[in-house]
Amino acid sequence: MPGDFHVHTQYCQHGADDKMEAYVLQAIEKGLTHISFTEHAPLPESFTDPAPHRDSTMDRNKVEAYVMEGKELQRQYKNDLQINIGFEVDYIRGYEQETQTFLDTYGPEMNDGILSVHMLQAPDKSFFCIDHSEDEFGRAADAFGGLLPLYKAYYDNLQSSIEADLGHYKPGRIGHITLIQKFQLAYQKPASFSEEQKHILELIKRKGYELDVNTAGLYKPLCKEIYPPVELIAHAAKMGIPLVPGSDSHAAGGIGKGFEYLSDYSLQIPQRLAL
Ligand code: ZN
Ligand code: FE
């Protein structure tokens, strides 16, 4: 296993308090050679976090501290582990300019990064964080007029995220492309969406991006499936899309969790972002 390339830290407001160093030590103990810290980048300043506790990302005032702490760990553990520092950046339709401004500012500090869709805007203009909780997901489905339009909006926004021009430092890896299925055991998938999913993979391929192969879904009680599910991982592999493993850990103990289920695939380390 090359490493864990989707990892959160104590800077995440909805995760554990485990320090970045605890994640590093856990990665070394598990025999990993690489880790990418991909903390949730602060949301655009003009965007209001729709999550009930407004805790979807890291605090905007702590970005410098996060980067500094990561760099210090890079130095300290350089003989034991390759540590990348980056962000999981939200793609929010309509906020591309602000997102690019953040990337232009911090991109030069980033060695790796993920672009993800968590926020969707309903027809009444209100936003929902689709992976927050079962209840929020239900409210989102109501606001969109059902599960079918909600799923459609998700894949549509995912497509926009891949096509969006976010400048030179746009992350080269697309996060958990089936996150909309996080509560699928409570809210049954309204259709297969396999055409949309394959189209997403085609766009990823065309753009030369990587796929976040994310084991977190396996441990979500209402999902129990890797993001994306194995058929899609196999399809992406056939297409030659780089498969980059990530646990999406929000606690140090989660490093490399579920990677034993990925042993059939040839996994890759990320192509480093241009520095
Ligand atoms: Zn998170
Ligand atoms: Fe995410």
Side-chain angles (χ1 to χ4, degrees):
M1 187 57 54
D4 191 337
F5 300 98
H6 189 151
V7 175
H8 295 277
T9 70
Q10 78 271 23
Y11 290 96
C12 172
Q13 300 184 80
H14 58 256
D17 294 332
D18 296 341
K19 297 277 182 290
M20 290 168 86
E21 187 169 23
Y23 291 81
V24 166
L25 294 172
Q26 190 65 226
I28 294 169
E29 197 180 306
K30 290 237 168 169
L32 301 184
T33 52
H34 299 65
I35 188 173
S36 284
F37 287 114
T38 51
E39 194 47 87
H40 295 285
L43 292 165
E45 234 162 326
S46 69
F47 180 82
T48 305
D49 187 350
H53 300 290
R54 307 211 189 297
D55 59 355
S56 293
T57 67
M58 75 184 302
D59 184 330
R60 138 173 333 276
N61 301 317
K62 299 205 169 136
V63 173
E64 305 285 345
Y66 164 65
V67 172
M68 293 273 286
E69 190 167 336
K71 285 190 171 173
E72 181 51 39
L73 291 167
Q74 271 176 340
R75 270 189 292 274
Q76 220 178 315
Y77 290 95
K78 65 173 186 295
N79 298 324
D80 309 296
L81 187 67
Q82 190 197 311
I83 301 173
N84 302 308
I85 305 155
F87 296 94
E88 179 180 13
V89 177
D90 268 278
Y91 173 77
I92 307 173
R93 189 182 277 161
Y95 291 82
E96 289 84 351
Q97 194 50 57
E98 278 180 77
T99 304
Q100 178 167 347
T101 301
F102 175 85
L103 286 165
D104 288 345
T105 308
Y106 292 101
E109 318 271 1
M110 292 168 63
N111 316 115
D112 195 13
I114 298 173
L115 188 68
S116 298
V117 171
H118 309 97
M119 309 291 178
L120 293 180
Q121 189 170 32
D124 70 358
K125 302 291 172 211
S126 60
F127 274 92
F128 289 88
C129 178
I130 52 129
D131 65 323
H132 179 274
S133 63
E134 186 186 348
D135 285 353
E136 273 293 289
F137 188 85
R139 278 190 276 277
D142 289 343
F144 275 83
L147 289 169
L148 199 64
L150 176 61
Y151 267 65
K152 279 198 177 132
Y154 175 73
Y155 286 109
D156 198 52
N157 276 261
L158 196 55
Q159 173 169 342
S160 300
S161 76
I162 298 166
E163 290 171 336
D165 177 8
L166 297 176
H168 182 66
Y169 296 104
K170 180 178 175 182
R173 182 152 70 264
I174 305 301
H176 42 55
I177 64 164
T178 53
L179 186 66
I180 193 71
Q181 295 180 193
K182 181 171 177 180
F183 304 107
Q184 62 183 349
L185 300 178
Y187 295 94
Q188 211 193 349
K189 228 169 46 162
S192 88
F193 282 92
S194 67
E195 287 310 308
E196 287 81 353
Q197 292 166 337
K198 285 185 179 149
H199 184 56
I200 292 294
L201 291 180
E202 273 157 32
L203 293 173
I204 290 176
K205 171 75 183 170
R206 207 178 301 160
K207 286 278 196 177
Y209 293 160
E210 304 155 351
L211 186 68
D212 172 43
V213 176
N214 186 313
T215 52
L218 275 173
Y219 303 98
K220 304 296 177 196
L222 296 176
C223 184
K224 296 195 167 168
E225 200 171 58
I226 304 169
Y227 307 125
V230 287
E231 317 82 70
L232 275 180
I233 303 175
H235 190 75
K238 251 190 246 152
M239 293 170 73
I241 294 171
L243 310 176
V244 178
S247 66
D248 210 341
S249 291
H250 286 71
I255 290 290
K257 199 171 170 195
F259 284 8
E260 63 273 23
Y261 296 104
L262 304 179
S263 56
D264 289 350
Y265 308 104
S266 127
L267 303 167
Q268 291 175 39
I269 65 169
Q271 303 138 348
R272 300 284 295 275
L273 287 186
L275 288 175

